[in-house]
Amino acid sequence: MADITEIQLPGVGVRYEFTSADGDNVGVVCHHGGRREVVVYTRDDPDRADTVLSLGADDSRTLSDLLGASQVSEAMAAMEQRIEGLALDWIEVTAASSLAGRTLADGELRSRTGASIVAVIRGETTEPAPGPDFVLEASDMAVAVGSPDALEKLRIALRS
Amino acid sequence: MTASVVAAAGGDVALAFIEIGAVALALALLARLAGRLGITAIPLYLLAGLAVGDGGVATLDVSEDFISLAAQIGVLLLLFTLGLEYTGDELKTGLRTGAVPGVVDAVANFVPGLGLGLLLGWEPTAAILLGGVTWISSSGVVSKVLGDLKRLGNRETPSVLNLLVIEDLAMAVYLPVVAALIAGQDAAATVLTVTGALVAVGVILVLALRFGDRLSTMLSGGSDESLLLTVFGLTLLVGGLAEQVQVSSAIGAFLVGLALDGQVRERAEQLIGPLRDLFAATFFLFFSFQIEPSTVAEALLPACGLLVVTVVTKLVSGHVSAARNGIGPAGRMRAGTALIARGEFSIVIASLGTGLADGTELGGLAAAYVLLTAIVGPLAAKYSDRLPRSLAARRVLTSPA
């Protein structure tokens, strides 16, 4: 993946920029309110952007779906509330983990670590709120909520 | 002030309603016209105020006190929403990358106003206020112009926006200083007041950036109704307290805006936005309402001179700021032209001087000047790519960097 540069636009939002494989400089302006603009920089004046698309918050979601990206990261950003002492993290289940191939209940993860697994992402599919009999597999991505300490314990458990 | 409110409770209340209603409807027509023309409504409000105000076609009798207070609230809400636009991170980035261009911008654009004020034989305080009028670009007009011209994605745009951040922050120092100067104490007392005011601003700024998160979390729970009342109350309360310790109520309101963050910030923006539009429109109208049209007519010539000089100085600001970010000549020109428009802040600054001996002239000149820059600025920005490149090239050659 190309390197993405992030530039703050005070009072407006953030601009991201990358160079495409074809050599176009592409930028995305993310407004505070959720509106997005996709721009391409002109070749004769590299500082000038031609707006290709102007998208509302819903439009961006539709477009990113069509482009094949997952909606998870978007949903994550919305979920990331400012609650004191509570953190949200993604932890990959490694092949070396003793928990791979076992159910969530077997691992007794909540009582052992204090962190809760609220969703599991497997390839293209997402299992929201997995039940106690959900079987973890290697390279699953667990989305977990808890105190930073609890998440650290969970990370160790899912990796060894 | 209270006397008329009490009086209005009698038979005058009908008249007061009619006057305020007529004023609001007139503002509505102007806002509509501005939308049609694709410009900000500020110049139109100023013109309308001139037309109906002292020496104009109509006068307000009973509602003047109410409108004058509403105008003051308008200033607070303007500054509050301005503070709301910036997050703590954005301020820090702005300060880190924009300090040098900020100083160039301040010197280049403050001096012409100050110089003209002294040249006209004004008292130093009025000249310092005129310096402020020419210094600060209009955040409102600039961001509207950049959005309308679809330049938010351009590479020179961060340089422009960072410069606006610096200017707005500089106001947190400038306004308390002029407030102390206007109070007109002797030198020792002025130094003391200014120091006290600056310390107070510093303390509030640090508190706002450090504990803003906590405040925002605290406010995030309630209903829209309670949030609206809390934010409105907090803005006026802090503004009033700041005014008590000579810090200028506007800066108090600005700092309250800065302190809010996250989701609360977006909700507050949506809730206070309409209220701000209402009161701020009243402010612009009331400002020029107090000005005799003849003083503006007399001020046109000096205002034109000031316009020519400060267009060039803003181009210099834009050039320096953009060049530091490695922007090419065309982009530097776009950055410079985007900054030409002065607006809400210039009027806020000029309105501080209404009580001064030269306050009338200052008001007239500021109104004429803002009208001119608000017209010339957006036009220059629109056609900046067609401006002769030689102009841009020459400035690059002569620039100290």
Side-chain angles (χ1 to χ4, degrees), chain B residues 37-103:
Chain B
L37 297 174
I39 57 172
T40 53
I42 298 174
L44 297 184
Y45 293 156
L46 291 178
L47 283 174
L50 281 174
V52 293
D54 297 350
V57 288
T59 48
L60 298 177
D61 293 322
V62 284
S63 55
E64 182 158 350
D65 287 341
F66 171 77
I67 290 189
S68 118
L69 187 61
Q72 294 300 318
I73 295 177
V75 175
L76 293 196
L77 294 184
L78 262 176
L79 271 285
F80 167 75
T81 44
L82 189 67
L84 212 53
E85 282 187 11
Y86 303 130
T87 63
D89 284 346
E90 290 173 351
L91 284 184
K92 285 170 204 155
T93 330
L95 274 178
R96 209 176 49 236
T97 61
V100 174
V103 171

Side-chain angles (χ1 to χ4, degrees), chain B residues 231-383:
Chain B
V231 169
F232 184 74
L234 209 56
T235 306
L236 261 58
L237 188 69
V238 174
L241 289 175
E243 190 79 35
Q244 288 268 351
V245 293
Q246 315 260 15
V247 174
S248 122
S249 50
I251 288 309
F254 178 66
L255 294 172
V256 173
L258 275 186
L260 295 189
D261 219 339
Q263 273 196 322
V264 168
R265 192 182 84 165
E266 275 167 38
R267 281 175 62 199
E269 206 161 15
Q270 282 165 6
L271 291 170
I272 292 284
L275 216 54
R276 186 244 356 246
D277 293 343
L278 178 64
F279 284 106
T282 314
F283 165 68
F284 293 119
L285 183 85
F286 189 70
F287 173 76
S288 59
F289 178 83
Q290 297 163 299
I291 298 172
E292 289 215 21
S294 60
T295 49
V296 176
E298 285 161 23
L300 266 182
L301 195 66
C304 283
L306 205 52
L307 172 75
V308 172
V309 175
T310 56
V311 161
V312 175
T313 52
K314 272 294 170 188
L315 289 182
V316 171
S317 302
H319 266 84
V320 170
S321 183
R324 282 176 64 87
N325 290 326
I327 305 300
R332 290 179 213 170
M333 192 52 126
R334 284 193 298 267
T337 50
L339 289 164
I340 291 171
R342 318 301 203 272
E344 60 278 12
F345 247 131
S346 301
I347 300 296
V348 169
I349 291 168
S351 73
L352 292 176
T354 37
L356 295 172
D358 299 310
T360 327
E361 284 84 6
L362 174 66
L365 185 50
Y369 176 73
V370 167
L371 283 173
L372 289 173
T373 58
I375 296 166
V376 171
L379 283 176
K382 188 168 180 182
Y383 296 109

